[in-house]
Amino acid sequence: MAEPTAVPRPSARRITVFIDGHEYDTAHHRITPAQLRRLPNPDIPSDKAIWLDIPDAPDRRLAEEEPIDLRDGMRFFSDPQPITIFIDRHRYEVTRKRMTGQEIRVLPTPPVPDDRDLWLDVVDQHDRKIAADELIRLHDGMRFFTAPGSINPGDDEGLR
C-alpha cells in the first residue's frame, strides 16, 4: 500500500493595507496598532498615534492594543501631516483630511461671515460653491475663495 502524500495547506490569504500612503501585504487578519507599526521599514515610532482612515466620516485614533479585523484596502496613517490650503490667498495648515464647509469657514480670524459664500477654486472647470454641511476631502494646495452671497446691481461695495 502506498504511503499517503501530504496535501499542501493553502497559504493564508494575504491582505493589502495602506499606511501613510504606502502599500503593505500581511497574512494577519487581526492585528493591533502596535503590530501595524512594524509593517513599514523603519517602524513607525511609538510616540506617533495610529489612525484608521474612514471614508466620508471622521478618522479614528486607535488604542495601541486594540485588535483590528483587517480587510483589503484599509487605510491607516500615523500622526497626520499638515495639509496646506488657501482661503482668499491666505495660507492655513490643517491636520484633518476631511472638513466640512463650516469648519473651513472658521479657519480665518475673524471667520468668514454668513453673508459671504465659500467657493472651491477648481482649475480648468467651473468653481464650486461649498455648502456649510458639505464634507470636503482636503489635499495640499487646495484653494478656496469667498464672495458676496448676493450682489446688488450697481453696488460695487460687494465686489471689494
Side-chain angles (χ1 to χ4, degrees):
M1 189 159 155
E3 269 189 50
T5 57
V7 177
R9 292 177 53 187
S11 62
R13 185 175 82 72
R14 299 196 60 84
I15 294 175
T16 301
V17 297
F18 297 86
I19 304 172
D20 291 333
H22 299 281
E23 183 176 319
Y24 299 95
D25 289 326
T26 181
H28 296 285
H29 290 245
R30 191 167 176 88
I31 197 167
T32 66
Q35 293 168 309
L36 279 171
R37 293 179 182 288
R38 294 192 295 273
L39 291 178
N41 187 9
D43 294 356
I44 296 171
S46 60
D47 64 334
K48 289 191 171 198
I50 302 291
W51 295 75
L52 174 61
D53 187 357
I54 303 172
D56 301 325
D59 299 329
R60 186 166 64 87
R61 184 179 179 158
L62 302 174
E64 197 64 17
E65 296 303 322
E66 175 184 353
I68 305 295
D69 291 320
L70 292 182
R71 294 180 316 278
D72 266 329
M74 287 181 88
R75 301 188 80 85
F76 301 91
F77 59 94
S78 53
D79 282 331
Q81 299 298 313
I83 297 170
T84 301
I85 64 172
F86 296 87
I87 304 171
D88 290 336
R89 297 188 181 123
H90 296 280
R91 175 188 182 114
Y92 299 90
E93 289 198 354
V94 298
T95 55
R96 295 181 49 206
K97 293 183 178 188
R98 292 175 195 85
M99 294 177 76
T100 64
Q102 184 58 41
E103 290 168 328
I104 295 168
R105 292 176 71 91
V106 298
L107 290 174
T109 303
V112 175
D114 291 339
D115 65 342
R116 296 186 69 80
D117 291 332
L118 179 68
W119 291 79
L120 173 61
D121 186 4
V122 182
V123 178
D124 296 335
Q125 294 182 31
H126 290 288
D127 297 331
R128 188 163 58 92
K129 185 177 172 182
I130 304 299
D133 62 348
E134 183 176 349
L135 190 62
I136 306 296
R137 183 180 292 256
L138 299 175
H139 59 79
D140 254 344
M142 287 183 90
R143 302 186 83 76
F144 297 89
F145 64 92
T146 63
S150 63
I151 299 175
N152 294 327
D155 178 16
D156 63 355
E157 187 66 30
L159 297 176
R160 289 188 195 142

